[in-house]
Amino acid sequence: MRSMMIDLDEASTEDLVGVAAAVAAELAHRTPPESSAVCLELTRTLAGAIDQQESCLAGLVGVFDAAGEVRRWGAPSTRAWLRSELGLRDQRANERLTVARQRHRLPRVAKLWAAGELSHGYASTIAGAVTRLDDDDCVIAEDLLLGMVDQGFSAGKVAAFGRRIGEVIAERDGTERPDGDVRRGYARSWLTSTRSLDGGRYLKGWLNAEDSAVFDGALASLAKPAGVDDRRDLSERTAAALTGVLAGGHTATKVTVICDLDTLTGADAPARLTDGTPIPAEQARRIALNAGVSPLLLAGGNVPLYLGHRVRFANAGQRRVLETLYPTCAVRGCEVPGSLCEVDHVKGWALGRGPTDIDQLALCCGWHNRFKHTNAEQVQIEKGPAGNYTYRILPPDGVTRHLVQPEGP
């Protein structure tokens, strides 16, 4: 029989976290009771306990975030550490970091949350709403949003209201300001771009009169119907015209489609873009023939056919090959796109051991490139079968990643 005894009054935070981890591990392997009514009650109880643990977690994250502790572990920011070490998606990492940073500004929220009288969902929603408010407005916002919770509004409704909290406070105080797009004015052009999950892209923006004239002059004639059989509407023809202009004919874009030679000759193996987005084989064959788009052919095992020359600085050809091998920074867990990274000599150029050969180079973000140079003993380097390297950041000397679990009697 396994058992565990602990004096809650005498136990340290480390002891309690160890007990919570041991209980969670045991619960994870338990089969749920057969009674649905019992499962419902247990769900409510366990969810409340998890909410209180989230309150504790926010306090812990707040301490090491304020101290910059994650930098000793090779992470450029707390957000990056949360993503890599806890396996969180961006949205979840941002939520945890926001609530950790705002917790001290929300004393009522923190007290109710810790007591189990406020869910993590409500607490994180309120924390996100006050991020851009000053301390005076933060007090007002906390009062307004907790009032909505008391009135029984759902977390979704509170979130929607929270997104407008600055406007609501300004309206109450008589200091209304126009929204973001209006505040931009109409003198300057602007454009936002968001990547979709399937490799597409959403565009939103505004062109002032001068830029609008350039836009019309460049695209109007190209967006006309190609003939009587052209059934595309104006928006589709405009998109095609814009793509054609950006491609620049046979001159100069960096669009690269990576595929095996067999794919171009009829096989079904998919291709991919440099950021890893998959492209169906049939679409890849069409793209590879378009002006301004370059196919990069790979041999078996994704090894580039042509590797470049030995020079002090990586040339354009070597850079292009590296961007196919490194969609992101070589450091495990770092999500900086490879296109924004620096070329790193894996063994170090200054040490005389790292020639500028393609098989001795990797892409590394600026922060981790400097960290690797000054903390070489914390960087473990592994080479994959495709010729790419993975850098793993080791804990600082004398630091272990795991808490010691409390022993049973």
Side-chain angles (χ1 to χ4, degrees):
M1 181 181 70
R2 291 179 296 167
S3 63
M4 181 180 295
M5 295 181 62
I6 187 168
D7 186 335
L8 296 180
D9 294 328
E10 297 295 330
S12 66
T13 301
E14 290 85 347
D15 293 333
L16 292 176
V17 170
V19 169
V23 171
E26 183 63 29
L27 275 174
H29 291 88
R30 292 293 181 96
T31 301
E34 294 183 0
S35 169
S36 59
V38 171
C39 286
L40 186 149
E41 288 301 319
L42 292 179
T43 297
R44 181 183 289 114
T45 301
L46 183 58
I50 292 173
D51 282 339
Q52 289 180 288
Q53 289 180 344
E54 287 283 359
S55 173
C56 175
L57 184 61
L60 300 177
V61 173
V63 171
F64 68 72
D65 173 58
E69 176 67 16
V70 294
R71 292 178 178 272
R72 291 206 305 133
W73 293 74
S77 67
T78 301
R79 183 178 290 103
W81 185 90
L82 290 171
R83 286 198 305 261
S84 62
E85 287 295 314
L86 304 189
L88 301 181
R89 296 179 64 181
D90 280 343
Q91 183 177 356
R92 185 65 168 142
N94 289 337
E95 178 185 279
R96 279 216 167 125
L97 184 57
T98 296
V99 77
R101 288 177 173 176
Q102 300 301 320
R103 187 168 173 263
H104 71 283
R105 303 177 69 212
L106 300 165
R108 290 182 59 201
V109 167
K111 183 177 180 180
L112 292 170
W113 190 14
E117 299 174 16
L118 188 72
S119 73
H120 171 68
Y122 281 122
S124 61
T125 294
I126 296 173
V130 304
T131 300
R132 293 180 175 83
L133 301 181
D134 61 30
D135 290 342
D136 291 336
D137 285 348
C138 180
V139 174
I140 299 173
E142 183 182 29
D143 180 59
L144 288 172
L145 295 175
L146 283 177
M148 292 189 68
V149 175
D150 291 339
Q151 294 174 53
F153 285 93
S154 68
K157 289 289 187 181
V158 174
F161 190 82
R163 286 191 288 270
R164 294 187 59 249
I165 193 67
E167 301 169 22
V168 173
I169 293 174
E171 182 179 349
R172 189 175 81 170
D173 296 344
T175 57
E176 299 96 332
R177 293 178 296 179
D179 63 35
D181 286 350
V182 174
R183 288 200 303 273
R184 291 178 188 271
Y186 298 99
R188 293 183 296 176
S189 300
W190 58 271
L191 180 70
T192 60
S193 172
T194 305
R195 191 70 175 265
S196 67
L197 295 178
D198 62 358
R201 191 170 293 278
Y202 297 98
L203 299 176
K204 175 185 176 183
W206 161 261
L207 296 180
N208 62 23
E210 293 82 0
D211 292 340
S212 179
V214 174
F215 182 92
D216 291 339
L219 300 183
S221 61
L222 297 177
K224 292 179 179 179
V228 294
D229 295 328
D230 190 348
R231 300 185 182 278
R232 299 173 300 169
D233 61 24
L234 178 60
S235 61
E236 293 174 320
R237 298 197 306 271
T238 301
L242 177 62
T243 303
V245 170
L246 293 177
H250 289 280
T251 62
T253 84
K254 288 186 62 178
V255 178
T256 302
V257 177
I258 307 155
C259 58
D260 295 330
L261 183 59
D262 290 343
T263 298
L264 288 187
T265 57
D268 293 330
R272 60 185 171 88
L273 301 179
T274 55
D275 64 357
T277 302
I279 299 294
E282 183 178 354
Q283 185 178 358
R285 286 190 284 273
R286 290 199 305 269
I287 289 176
L289 298 176
N290 286 345
V293 180
S294 302
L296 179 62
L297 306 184
L298 304 179
N302 286 338
V303 179
L305 295 174
Y306 300 99
L307 302 182
H309 302 283
R310 184 176 300 182
V311 291
R312 169 61 182 90
F313 297 103
N315 59 30
Q318 290 174 314
R319 173 89 200 193
R320 180 180 167 203
V321 169
L322 290 171
E323 288 184 4
T324 71
L325 294 175
Y326 297 90
T328 60
C329 171
V331 174
R332 183 180 184 184
C334 181
E335 298 182 357
V336 174
S339 58
L340 301 179
C341 290
E342 301 172 356
V343 176
D344 176 53
H345 290 77
V346 176
K347 296 181 180 180
W349 170 269
L351 301 178
R353 301 196 302 267
T356 312
D357 292 339
I358 195 67
D359 58 352
Q360 297 294 323
L361 302 175
L363 291 184
C364 196
C365 72
W367 195 92
H368 277 122
N369 203 353
R370 293 187 295 274
F371 182 89
K372 175 175 175 280
H373 176 70
T374 57
N375 302 273
E377 72 284 353
Q378 277 186 249
V379 181
Q380 183 182 73
I381 302 175
E382 300 175 359
K383 189 173 185 179
N388 59 310
Y389 293 89
T390 299
Y391 297 170
R392 299 176 187 271
I393 305 298
L394 304 177
D397 289 341
V399 179
T400 179
R401 290 180 182 270
H402 303 288
L403 292 172
V404 177
Q405 302 293 329
E407 298 181 357

